[in-house]
Amino acid sequence: MAVLPNPSTGQADAPATLGNRMSSLETLTVHGLGRVAEPYRDIVPPIHLASTFERAADGSYPGGRVYARDASPAYIEAEEVLRQLDGGTQALLFASGHAAASAVLQALEPGDRVLAPQSMYWALRKWLLDLAEHGRIQLAFYDNADIADVERQLAAAPTRLLWVETPANPTWELTDIRAAAALARQHGAMTLVDSTVATPVLCQPLALGADIALHSATKYLNGHSDVVAGALVTREDSPLWQRIRVMRNLGGAILGPFEAWLLLRGMRTLHLRVRAACANALQLATELAQHPAIAQVLYPGLPSHPQHATAVAQMNGGFGGMLSIRLRDGEARARDVAARVQVFKRATSLGSVESLIEHRASVEGPGSRCPTDLLRLSVGIEPVADLLADLTQALGD
Ligand SMILES: *Cc1c(COP(=O)(O)O)cnc(C)c1O
């Protein structure tokens, strides 16, 4: 019988009775790991709210848990599903995607060099710049789509961490994970892939050679715009990973039990939702590329995308639910289109069942590298005809 390791004791913990009986990862995910809780044989796990756990008279911990900040039982199922989805050896949940990133960056030594992509989720980029400005890390950037530039930058100075985001916000450039991770290893650097947009359904960074996968679980993993959470999955139990585990515990940015429970529920439909969003996004991208008001559609699934070949090579089963459009008539027109939509919701974030649209440059604010004529679309799972009709009316005749 498969058993789950308990991080606070290192001992075998709750049996994962389904994992070794069912061959399909998708089935495991649909079943939310499938453990049945005694004494009522619940199909859905209870929410573990306890913050502390009883010691025996001899001082031992018969339940295998000491305190919820170290290792709450509330995370067992969600972390195990995440671990299996990304094909890693261990997974950790965090209070947000940023908290997950924070634990990684706090786990570095002062002055360690981080190599990050020019295009990436803006708030993380801003934060890396802030850490560099305060002397906590050294920071250099590479061109997301240019593997030769990754190599040049790795050769320029000893690097501890190569940060990859693919497809990258908000223009959806791809980075060849296999090539980038191999170069990083040659140069003694670890590779982290922010796989939030691709999700484990479409891309497996660890199998491609990355060391750590990062997810804002707020997005597709939860998928319903009602949880803020983050996750890390590691290929190996490295010294850096041990530090990251310590950073979660001592840094204290842990997820609440109810959020962990909601996340597990959200992940049950992950495969269905991602497949539906991919199909919708591909159809919208294809149709919008013909629209006279649109100068460019940025979507990895279009053959016109500069890294379409990389997308085909490292994304399986779809190209994601995120796309951006650039309006021929510039910023005013972009804002006008966003103002006119009726089905799409005007909001930031991504990866939920409902479609969202945003004028990205104005969300990112000063210092944004995003073109001002760009609208970012998070395509949901509504019937695509409704989405297309909405965008068509918003774009005008
Ligand atoms: C949203 C997002 C993050 C940050 O995650 P939070 O859960 O909002 O903290 C990081 N990376 C990407 C690609 C994101 O979309």
Side-chain angles (χ1 to χ4, degrees):
M1 190 183 286
V3 290
L4 303 174
N6 176 336
S8 62
T9 61
Q11 290 161 7
D13 201 30
T17 49
L18 192 67
N20 54 359
R21 275 196 278 119
M22 295 226 178
S23 55
S24 158
L25 189 53
E26 186 168 344
T27 296
L28 183 97
T29 308
V30 168
H31 284 240
L33 197 59
R35 293 199 310 155
V36 180
E38 300 294 353
Y40 303 115
R41 309 293 293 160
D42 311 28
I43 295 298
V44 172
I47 306 175
H48 288 275
L49 293 171
S51 60
T52 190
F53 306 92
E54 192 185 37
R55 289 180 89 164
D58 66 1
S60 67
Y61 292 92
R65 306 268 157 175
V66 178
Y67 186 59
R69 177 157 43 69
D70 315 331
S72 170
Y75 304 155
I76 292 174
E77 285 90 356
E79 287 185 344
E80 177 60 11
V81 169
L82 282 163
R83 184 191 74 73
Q84 295 207 25
L85 282 172
D86 260 326
T89 56
Q90 295 181 41
L92 287 171
L93 278 180
F94 289 85
S96 66
H98 266 258
S102 178
V104 174
L105 295 167
Q106 280 184 302
L108 301 179
E109 296 301 323
D112 272 351
R113 186 170 185 260
V114 177
L115 189 53
Q118 284 291 0
S119 294
M120 68 184 288
Y121 179 68
W122 69 288
L124 284 177
R125 184 175 200 273
K126 219 164 74 171
W127 194 50
L128 287 171
L129 286 165
D130 183 78
L131 288 175
E133 194 183 314
H134 289 86
R136 303 273 297 280
I137 57 169
Q138 293 179 65
L139 183 62
F141 289 101
Y142 65 92
D143 178 343
N144 299 52
D146 184 0
I147 204 71
D149 194 36
V150 173
E151 183 158 33
R152 251 191 317 276
Q153 300 296 338
L154 283 168
T159 302
R160 179 83 166 113
L161 185 68
L162 174 67
W163 193 285
V164 174
E165 180 181 327
T166 182
N169 265 282
T171 41
W172 319 117
E173 289 105 327
L174 275 92
T175 299
D176 180 336
I177 296 172
R178 193 189 293 280
L183 285 170
R185 186 157 310 114
Q186 276 169 34
H187 287 85
M190 308 270 291
T191 302
L192 176 146
V193 175
D194 182 340
S195 200
T196 298
V197 169
T199 80
V201 177
L202 305 176
C203 186
Q204 298 278 301
L206 306 183
L208 293 169
D211 297 290
I212 295 173
L214 179 147
H215 299 280
S216 168
T218 313
K219 314 296 169 55
Y220 290 98
L221 292 175
N222 181 64
H224 294 78
S225 302
D226 52 13
V227 168
V228 174
L232 296 174
V233 185
T234 189
R235 193 165 48 81
E236 305 186 335
D237 188 7
S238 61
L240 183 67
W241 182 258
Q242 285 305 321
R243 289 268 305 151
I244 289 169
R245 201 179 260 296
V246 169
M247 289 307 124
R248 182 178 74 167
N249 180 4
L250 300 184
I254 59 162
L255 193 65
F258 184 51
E259 286 71 18
W261 187 91
L262 278 176
L263 174 60
L264 182 71
R265 184 175 73 163
M267 287 195 295
R268 287 170 171 246
T269 53
L270 176 69
H271 291 80
L272 275 181
R273 288 186 286 102
V274 169
R275 278 200 292 270
C278 286
N280 281 356
L282 181 60
Q283 191 170 341
L284 284 184
T286 306
E287 304 263 1
L288 294 173
Q290 310 300 320
H291 198 285
I294 293 176
Q296 197 184 7
V297 176
L298 305 169
Y299 184 64
L302 292 180
S304 60
H305 186 285
Q307 293 97 49
H308 181 62
T310 305
V312 170
Q314 75 185 20
M315 299 178 81
N316 301 305
F319 300 99
M322 296 303 298
L323 63 99
S324 295
I325 56 177
R326 298 187 63 179
L327 279 295
R328 243 181 240 297
D329 292 341
E331 175 171 0
R333 185 68 185 278
R335 285 178 180 265
D336 181 59
V337 171
R340 287 168 182 251
V341 293
Q342 288 163 16
V343 175
F344 277 79
K345 290 277 187 298
R346 280 177 299 279
T348 194
S349 196
L350 59 97
S352 189
V353 287
E354 72 284 339
S355 294
L356 303 178
I357 191 167
E358 69 173 339
H359 182 250
R360 189 70 193 161
S362 58
V363 170
E364 295 189 3
S368 168
R369 301 174 71 255
C370 180
T372 57
D373 59 9
L374 182 146
L375 291 174
R376 190 181 83 168
L377 275 55
S378 171
V379 180
I381 66 169
E382 306 92 334
V384 70
D386 289 350
L387 301 178
L388 190 58
D390 189 33
L391 291 171
T392 305
Q393 67 79 24
L395 285 159
D397 318 297

